[in-house]
């Protein structure tokens, strides 16, 4: 199924997994034909043992696939001067290490004294002094977002013991006033997104997955069904009236 994790015999008869040279090179045999057969066999074994985990190194069992979650929240403030906003993500597991992306609307950042002064996650500083340059396009142009943080990994310990991640965005005192131009009346608008690994999760009803690995589940074909989460096979709709 998953071509990224499939093993093949490449030129030179070297075992490769998803384009990465395997630890076990395929031995040369006396016969080119026997060599290709032997190499293919070794590559299959390599794939079963090591390739199934994909890039994140996790191997999911039958009926399970590896999932990555995405969550986005809008952070806003109507403070007249130096607006600050805060959002809380509550879908994480304790000890998670999500990646965060932040885009800020160009409300009032045209002057070099107008900037995002600090971004904190879980009470820890992620960075500061974003947009601290003069650009007239960063004023009263709230329909345009500027990315200030791009898929940065949050610091260790930022996610609380109950799985919450608090993101706070602060600006300099010069931001705000009558020049924000946002129709909502907000002087600070930011879109905060996080991606996080959910691990191995069951296939949804109507899907199945038989093989080990991290690849996606497969939809049941026409005339077949699966009712349970984590199905490893689809039943025939003609069996005892099922699938109706």
């Amino acid at each position: 199924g998953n071509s990224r994790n499939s093993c093949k015999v490449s030129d030179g008869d070297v075992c490769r997994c998803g384009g990465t040279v395997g630890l076990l090179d395929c031995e040369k045999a006396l016969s080119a034909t026997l060599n290709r057969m032997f190499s293919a066999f070794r590559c299959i074994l390599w794939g079963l043992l090591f390739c199934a985990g994909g890039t994140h190194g996790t191997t999911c069992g039958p009926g399970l696939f590896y999932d990555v979650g995405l969550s986005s929240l809008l952070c806003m403030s109507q403070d007249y001067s130096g607006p600050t906003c805060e959002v809380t993500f509550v879908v994480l597991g304790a000890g998670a290490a999500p990646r965060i992306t932040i885009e800020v609307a160009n409300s009032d950042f045209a002057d070099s004294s107008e900037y995002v002064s600090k971004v904190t996650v879980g009470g820890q500083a992620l960075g500061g002094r974003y947009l601290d340059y003069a650009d007239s396009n960063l004023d009263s142009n709230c329909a345009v977002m500027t990315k200030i943080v791009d898929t940065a990994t949050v610091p260790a310990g930022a996610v609380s013991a109950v799985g919450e991640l608090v993101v706070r965005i602060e600006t300099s005192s010069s931001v705000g006033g009558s020049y924000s131009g946002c129709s909502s009346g907000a002087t600070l608008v930011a879109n905060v997104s996080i991606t996080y690994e959910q691990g191995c999760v069951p296939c949804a009803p109507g899907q199945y997955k038989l093989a080990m690995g991290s690849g996606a589940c497969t939809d049941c074909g026409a005339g077949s069904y699966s009712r349970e989460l984590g199905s490893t096979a689809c039943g025939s709709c003609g069996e005892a009236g099922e699938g109706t």
Side-chain angles (χ1 to χ4, degrees), residues 160-177:
S160 72
V162 294
E164 293 184 347
L165 178 67
V166 179
V167 181
R168 181 180 176 86
I169 302 173
E170 302 176 15
T171 65
S172 63
S173 59
S174 297
V175 175

Side-chain angles (χ1 to χ4, degrees), residues 179-234:
Y179 296 100
S180 68
C182 295
S183 59
S184 61
T187 51
L188 174 62
V189 179
N191 184 49
V192 184
S193 302
I194 60 170
T195 56
Y196 51 96
E197 297 182 353
Q198 292 184 308
C200 297
V201 298
C203 298
Q207 297 183 323
Y208 74 100
K209 180 170 169 284
L210 177 60
M212 295 283 291
S214 57
C217 300
T218 302
D219 292 335
C220 293
S224 63
Y225 74 99
S226 66
R227 286 182 172 176
E228 306 296 332
L229 288 171
S231 295
T232 58
C234 297

Side-chain angles (χ1 to χ4, degrees), residues 66-78:
Y66 195 85
D67 194 20
V68 177
L70 170 65
S71 183
S72 296
L73 293 174
L74 195 62
C75 192
M76 298 178 62
S77 173
Q78 293 182 330

Side-chain angles (χ1 to χ4, degrees), residues 117-138:
S117 56
K118 182 188 294 186
V119 173
T120 59
V121 288
Q124 302 185 50
L126 186 66
R129 294 197 68 92
Y130 301 102
L131 304 176
D132 62 343
Y133 51 86
D135 186 344
S136 60
N137 293 321
L138 301 180

